[in-house]
């Protein structure tokens, strides 16, 4: 197996049981437009530090599977034109060829867990796409999380998906789901997807205690709504437009998510970008607080 490259800061924090938060890189390379993607990536790392944890952005840089990017590597992921989108199955090929890639939720979670990291913050997970009963398009994020012991903070799954079907799959795959100060599963841009949750938690300490009681190797998902979500009517209009453009242009496979996100950002004139950025930053802050609470539990 390919060796992981941990930054000194991340390696030292893990060796000393200090809180570390993994961050994915596909949102930087394929989810947010330039140049705000680099600004957001830097801001997220700074917020993790300000909340007492060490940020570990994960990506493949010149073939090295890297946990904790240098400022130059972070800039490379944000600005280079040859950065692939790498889910689990892509990583080995790109690493063996010496290439550059941004990692998705699936591959970031797996690499972070291999490195010994317990917390991971992202925006929205992949899931079951609309029409999946015909197309079979279901994100590898779901199966990866079914066998990866890590806590993932997100604002639910992307609202472009079939949320009900995704929730069914999360149940089947044995992935524990907690609503953070919410009773309904958040809908990424939307505060509420309309689907009730069974478990609600109020504090980072409560999440840490759930982590401490885990009985399986599956992920724990903490769903936290966007601080200032989109109104449902605007969202529906943007979604209808983006989905019909994707269909008419024949967009398929791993290109679907970046295409639709880009259509949202340009059609909403920056509103979806603002909400997306707030989602990523607030989830990184919450993941840091949980990491701090979990590290102090482990010391008791
Ligand atoms: N959600 C976002 N922006 C993104 C993604 C999700 O708001 O860029 C990315 C994540 O990296 C996620 C991936 O893991 O999309 C899922 O892609 P797919 O549906 O092709 O599995
Ligand atoms: Mn897909």
């Amino acid at each position: 197996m390919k060796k992981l490259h941990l930054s000194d800061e991340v390696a030292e924090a893990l060796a000393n049981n200090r809180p570390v938060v993994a961050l994915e890189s596909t949102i930087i390379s394929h989810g947010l437009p330039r140049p705000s993607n680099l600004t957001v990536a830097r801001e997220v790392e700074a917020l993790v530090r300000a909340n007492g944890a060490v940020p570990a952005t994960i990506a493949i840089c010149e073939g090295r599977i890297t946990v904790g990017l240098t400022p130059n590597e972070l800039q490379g992921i944000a600005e280079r034109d040859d950065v692939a989108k790498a889910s689990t199955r892509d990583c080995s090929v790109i690493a063996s060829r010496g290439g550059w890639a941004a990692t998705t939720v699936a591959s970031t979670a797996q690499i972070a867990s291999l490195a010994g990291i317990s917390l991971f913050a992202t925006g929205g997970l992949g899931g079951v796409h609309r029409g999946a009963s015909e197309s079979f398009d279901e994100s590898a994020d779901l199966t990866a999380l079914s066998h990866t012991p890590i806590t993932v903070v997100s604002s639910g799954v992307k609202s472009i998906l079939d949320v009900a079907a995704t929730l069914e799959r999360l149940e089947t795959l044995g992935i524990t789901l907690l609503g953070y100060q919410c009773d309904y599963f958040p809908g990424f841009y939307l505060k509420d997807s309309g689907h009730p949750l069974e478990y609600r938690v109020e504090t980072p300490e409560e999440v840490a205690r759930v982590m401490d009681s885990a009985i399986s190797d599956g992920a724990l998902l903490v769903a936290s709504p966007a601080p200032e979500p989109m109104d449902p009517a605007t969202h529906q209009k943007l979604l209808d437009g983006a989905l019909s453009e994707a269909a008419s242009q024949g967009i398929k496979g791993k290109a679907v998510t970046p295409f639709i996100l880009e259509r949202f950002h340009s059609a909403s004139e920056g509103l979806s970008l603002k909400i997306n950025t707030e989602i990523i930053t607030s989830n990184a802050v919450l993941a840091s607080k949980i990491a701090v609470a979990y590290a102090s539990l482990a010391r008791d």
Side-chain angles (χ1 to χ4, degrees), residues 53-212:
V54 170
T57 305
I58 293 179
I60 303 178
C61 306
E62 259 178 42
R64 290 183 309 278
I65 301 175
T66 307
V67 182
L69 303 186
T70 63
N72 276 344
E73 287 167 339
L74 193 68
Q75 189 170 356
I77 290 295
E79 293 180 349
R80 294 175 66 104
D81 291 324
D82 59 350
V83 177
K85 170 180 164 184
S87 191
T88 307
R89 69 175 191 161
D90 309 296
C91 289
S92 53
V93 182
I94 293 161
S96 71
R97 293 178 177 178
W100 284 74
T103 47
T104 63
V105 168
S107 49
T108 306
Q110 289 182 296
I111 294 165
S113 173
L114 282 175
I117 299 174
S118 306
L119 260 302
F120 168 22
T122 183
L125 307 179
V128 181
H129 282 257
R130 290 160 196 245
S133 59
E134 296 272 313
S135 68
F136 281 73
D137 190 354
E138 173 183 325
S139 177
D141 290 356
L142 296 184
T143 37
L145 294 178
S146 73
H147 55 77
T148 306
I150 194 160
T151 298
V152 186
V153 180
S154 80
S155 297
V157 297
K158 285 162 295 177
S159 43
I160 59 178
L161 299 170
D162 182 337
V163 179
T166 304
L167 285 167
E168 290 294 344
R169 291 289 291 147
L170 288 172
E171 182 184 0
T172 306
L173 294 167
I175 299 171
T176 303
L177 187 51
L178 302 176
Y180 192 80
Q181 299 179 352
C182 62
D183 295 309
Y184 286 83
F185 193 52
F188 195 65
Y189 292 123
L190 301 174
K191 182 176 174 13
D192 164 0
S193 66
H195 300 277
L197 290 168
E198 200 167 355
Y199 303 113
R200 172 183 171 127
V201 291
E202 305 294 338
T203 63
E205 289 71 25
E206 224 179 318
V207 179
R209 287 197 296 276
V210 177
M211 291 168 68
D212 209 32

